[in-house]
Amino acid sequence: MAELGAVIAEYVRDVEAGARTRDDVRELRRDLTHVASELGTLEVDQVRARHVEALVDELRAAGLPPDRVRSVIEALRSLYAYAIGRGLVKASPLVGLAVGGTEARTPTAAMLDLGEQVVAWTVRVIVIAFVLIALGLVVVLA
């Protein structure tokens, strides 16, 4: 089996050859550098959730911002999707792994969530109004 570091290098090369932008590749490489430095010597199929949790704890302890920690985890998720597709592993060590953290949400994220809720409820109210109007017409015409 291959070491995780070698799989990371192969994955980044394949992504570079694909349709992603330079910024995407740079960000992916930056995020996976953290993974390679901590877990790169492990066999790709030997990485477990506890290894990833320890990596997350180390990144947080080093002062990495929560958004960057999430970015590292997402890069690792995409790497394992790639490894599964290549038949290198049968499952990802990130399945079921909750890496939320207790950090406060940004005002922007809170406003986006609120906006999504407002849109969802507005659509519900409009649908209910149309149903009531349709029922009213049926009763009036009957």
Side-chain angles (χ1 to χ4, degrees), residues 8-29:
I8 289 172
E10 179 182 330
Y11 175 58
V12 170
R13 276 193 307 271
D14 285 355
V15 169
E16 282 178 320
R20 290 199 174 190
T21 67
R22 281 180 168 254
D23 289 339
D24 288 341
V25 173
R26 187 178 311 117
E27 185 175 327
L28 180 69
R29 183 179 287 124

Side-chain angles (χ1 to χ4, degrees), residues 1-139:
M1 193 52 58
E3 284 188 351
L4 182 61
V7 175
I8 289 172
E10 179 182 330
Y11 175 58
V12 170
R13 276 193 307 271
D14 285 355
V15 169
E16 282 178 320
R20 290 199 174 190
T21 67
R22 281 180 168 254
D23 289 339
D24 288 341
V25 173
R26 187 178 311 117
E27 185 175 327
L28 180 69
R29 183 179 287 124
R30 177 196 66 198
D31 292 338
L32 290 176
T33 297
H34 294 291
V35 177
S37 67
E38 295 298 321
L39 306 175
T41 59
L42 292 173
E43 296 291 314
V44 69
D45 62 339
Q46 297 301 310
V47 176
R48 302 286 181 253
R50 63 185 158 83
H51 296 119
V52 178
E53 289 169 349
L55 170 66
V56 168
D57 291 343
E58 286 181 29
L59 294 174
R60 286 184 178 148
L64 210 63
D67 288 344
R68 284 286 312 281
V69 173
R70 279 190 291 276
S71 182
V72 169
I73 297 307
E74 289 308 311
L76 192 54
R77 284 186 201 283
S78 67
L79 171 75
Y80 267 90
Y82 171 82
I84 290 169
R86 303 269 319 222
L88 300 174
V89 294
K90 294 185 190 278
S92 169
L94 292 109
V95 171
L97 183 68
V99 190
T102 58
E103 59 275 343
R105 292 174 37 204
T106 64
T108 303
M111 289 304 294
L112 288 172
D113 288 344
L114 179 62
E116 289 174 358
Q117 291 176 4
V118 167
V119 167
W121 279 103
T122 301
V123 169
R124 290 178 185 136
V125 168
I126 291 171
V127 168
I128 290 170
F130 279 123
V131 168
L132 291 174
I133 290 169
L135 286 174
L137 287 175
V138 168
V139 170

